[in-house]
Amino acid sequence: MKNILIIVPTYNEADNIQVLIASINGVFSKTTSYKADILFVDDNSPDGTVTVIESMIESYPNDIYIISGQKKGLGRAYRKGLSFAKNDLPKDYYAYVMMDADLSHDPKDISSLLKKLENGADCAVGSRYMRGSKTVDNYPKFRRYLSKAANRLASSLIDLDVDIKDLTSGFKALNSKSLAKMSLEDINASGYVFQVSMLFEMFQKKLVVQEVPITFAIRAHGKSKLRLFDIAEFVKQSYLLNPNSKHRRLLRFCTVGAIGAVVNLGVLVFLKQVIRIDVMPAYLIALEVSIISNFILNNWFTFKITYDDVSDRLKIIRTLLGKLLVFNFIALGGATIAWAVFNLFLNQFKINYLISDIAGIIFATGWNYGLSKRLVWRIVDNKIPEELELIYESQKS
Ligand code: GDD
Ligand code: MN
């Protein structure tokens, strides 16, 4: 018989808790493979959730633990619960199950999550978005839409090559190895984004995460605790999780472009006012200096290229010069495009000169980024080819 621990965060779930405990009991009384303890993480629910739980401790055949504290959000509650399970409980558990208290998650599905673990997964995610998943018919369209959108957004922002459809699911099982390997202190999410951050941490630790279809129901009683803050935090934290995501790379590229413009102006003024050379050669020199500084910054900052083996300096320099040459041509093409777009907008479309200039810059940036990403830094489908002698920092760790 294996011991498992079911961790349930609760805030104002007094009306749901009795049914939940009874239904967990119903599921586990039928099996001799597992024995389930329950850990409730309650944030001083004013509706007396804890009193209801306490009244059920006697009748539940296994252990029920309750930890209480100040309300700091779902993510904090989960982190507290997981770290309590890891450090403060006398038993070693075979697996930990995370689920909601509002009966959205059906305790009957726990067995398929555990089965996934038995078959080798470190974490099983109860998924609403795969073959075999069901969502009850009366589930509000808006919530369904919101959840799908959140999943798409998170998936795009974390930009990892993983096949998990339901990144925000709150129904999961993990084995003890996963819990031991995760650095809970690093999962710094106070709200719902915790789910995504936790999976990200698991991906980083190379744990095997797999999905299992579940039946998702509308909450039985009470209302959702999702707040506007959670949505804002969700977007921000998902964006910040992976420093090497395509979005953050593009932002770094644009930042370098802006720095390049300042370098360009500075050099031009310096050459013309201090060294006093003619404006035309000064212009060309300033252009080249800013292209070279952009190249260096992009190599080091945007694409975070590091060198595996620094013993062969000559080879590195040769590679860099070759890349610089290609980058140069691309940048000159970009400048031409900026100029052409500016001209077209200003003279043909009769648009304000500043807006035309911005349009030119946007087109040129797109061209520069698209081409240099592929031709200079050889990123295809957002993946760095392995055979390159240049390696990506993130892939080392
Ligand atoms: N202790 C504690 N503190 N518990 C909380 C808090 C909190 O601040 N906020 C929510 N909970 C508990 C609720 O009592 C419930 O048991 C569970 O966490 C989920 O809260 P709901 O309010 O029912 O969340 P939801 O239905 O909007 O969201 C569900 O779906 C999301 C994805 O669409 C949850 O499963 C989320 O984890 C999931 O990301
Ligand atoms: Mn819910």
Side-chain angles (χ1 to χ4, degrees):
M1 190 103 118
K2 289 170 175 163
N3 286 314
I4 68 158
L5 180 71
I6 302 177
I7 305 175
V8 186
T10 54
Y11 191 73
N12 286 347
E13 304 288 1
D15 295 335
N16 297 315
I17 234 62
Q18 242 167 336
V19 183
L20 178 76
I21 296 176
S23 137
I24 290 175
N25 193 13
V27 167
F28 285 93
S29 60
K30 290 196 197 80
T31 165
T32 49
S33 318
Y34 301 102
K35 220 172 100 178
D37 291 346
I38 311 177
L39 167 63
F40 286 101
V41 188
D42 186 76
D43 286 347
N44 298 332
S45 300
D47 74 343
T49 302
V50 167
T51 321
V52 180
I53 299 170
E54 279 167 347
S55 73
M56 305 223 22
I57 292 182
E58 277 304 305
S59 62
Y60 189 73
N62 305 311
D63 293 338
I64 289 183
Y65 304 95
I66 306 170
I67 50 178
S68 323
Q70 291 251 305
K71 181 160 161 48
K72 290 187 186 140
L74 179 63
R76 289 279 176 270
Y78 259 128
R79 189 166 78 175
K80 212 162 66 178
L82 287 167
S83 98
F84 185 81
K86 189 173 180 173
N87 306 315
D88 302 317
L89 282 178
K91 262 184 235 167
D92 282 330
Y93 289 95
Y94 163 75
Y96 301 84
V97 173
M98 299 160 55
M99 69 187 292
D100 293 351
D102 60 356
L103 306 167
S104 280
H105 298 149
D106 187 344
K108 286 199 198 83
D109 285 331
I110 296 176
S111 60
S112 31
L113 293 173
L114 294 173
K115 197 163 185 184
K116 236 347 179 224
L117 299 188
E118 301 285 359
N119 290 338
D122 294 312
C123 173
V125 175
S127 175
R128 293 161 293 177
Y129 306 117
M130 65 189 295
R131 261 178 86 134
S133 306
K134 279 191 209 88
T135 303
V136 291
D137 293 338
N138 60 348
Y139 196 75
K141 278 233 160 57
F142 176 69
R143 284 292 313 240
R144 201 182 298 218
Y145 177 76
L146 189 70
S147 162
K148 279 225 165 116
N151 260 294
R152 290 241 173 86
L153 184 70
S155 160
S156 162
L157 289 177
I158 67 171
D159 191 24
L160 290 181
D161 191 16
V162 290
D163 189 26
I164 299 293
K165 304 255 163 11
D166 196 350
L167 292 165
T168 64
S169 169
F171 200 8
K172 295 189 185 76
L174 34 140
N175 60 15
S176 53
K177 172 182 151 200
S178 308
L179 188 59
K181 272 203 166 181
M182 272 193 293
S183 322
L184 294 172
E185 329 76 62
D186 293 347
I187 309 182
N188 200 22
S190 58
Y192 286 58
V193 72
F194 179 86
Q195 310 293 2
V196 181
S197 312
M198 182 180 154
L199 285 182
F200 189 82
E201 168 70 10
M202 297 192 141
F203 299 142
Q204 296 278 296
K205 295 281 154 74
K206 306 269 182 260
L207 293 160
V208 179
V209 182
Q210 286 170 351
E211 282 184 302
V212 172
I214 57 162
T215 299
F216 192 76
I218 195 164
R219 70 158 42 240
H221 295 279
K223 39 181 205 288
S224 166
K225 277 83 197 176
L226 182 79
R227 300 156 300 165
L228 216 54
F229 169 82
D230 292 295
I231 298 179
E233 189 201 31
F234 186 92
V235 178
K236 180 173 158 228
Q237 295 241 17
S238 306
Y239 176 75
L240 290 176
L241 280 173
N242 181 6
N244 286 319
S245 69
K246 53 186 184 231
H247 305 273
R248 294 186 60 184
R249 208 157 53 206
L250 177 60
L251 186 70
R252 288 197 295 269
F253 190 84
C254 294
T255 309
V256 169
I259 295 172
V262 175
V263 169
N264 184 293
L265 287 171
V267 173
L268 184 61
V269 169
F270 176 78
L271 291 177
K272 190 157 179 311
Q273 305 297 330
V274 182
I275 314 270
R276 298 194 173 280
I277 62 174
D278 275 354
V279 69
M280 282 321 283
Y283 180 87
L284 290 177
I285 296 172
L287 183 63
E288 189 54 36
V289 170
S290 58
I291 290 177
I292 293 174
S293 77
N294 277 7
F295 174 77
I296 294 170
L297 284 177
N298 279 326
N299 197 56
W300 159 76
F301 172 66
T302 307
F303 294 94
K304 299 193 184 300
I305 301 297
T306 53
Y307 298 91
D308 229 3
D309 173 14
V310 283
S311 60
D312 197 350
R313 291 240 167 117
L314 207 65
K315 190 174 158 201
I316 293 178
I317 292 172
R318 225 184 301 130
T319 317
L320 279 176
L321 286 178
K323 286 176 180 298
L324 175 62
L325 191 69
V326 181
F327 185 75
N328 233 300
F329 278 114
I330 295 172
L332 291 177
T336 312
I337 287 177
W339 181 83
V341 170
F342 173 69
N343 217 320
L344 184 73
F345 274 53
L346 185 73
N347 297 323
Q348 295 290 317
F349 303 157
K350 308 278 179 228
I351 291 172
N352 171 284
Y353 76 103
L354 279 179
I355 296 178
S356 302
D357 190 31
I358 291 171
I361 290 173
I362 292 174
F363 274 91
T365 305
W367 158 278
N368 284 345
Y369 184 65
L371 282 190
S372 56
K373 183 177 90 176
R374 282 183 191 80
L375 302 179
V376 180
W377 284 283
R378 303 276 196 85
I379 298 178
V380 185
D381 293 336
N382 290 306
K383 278 188 217 86
I384 317 269
E386 271 170 30
E387 72 274 9
L388 274 187
E389 81 276 30
L390 305 172
I391 57 155
Y392 219 31
E393 225 162 31
S394 75
Q395 304 193 329
K396 269 205 304 196
S397 54

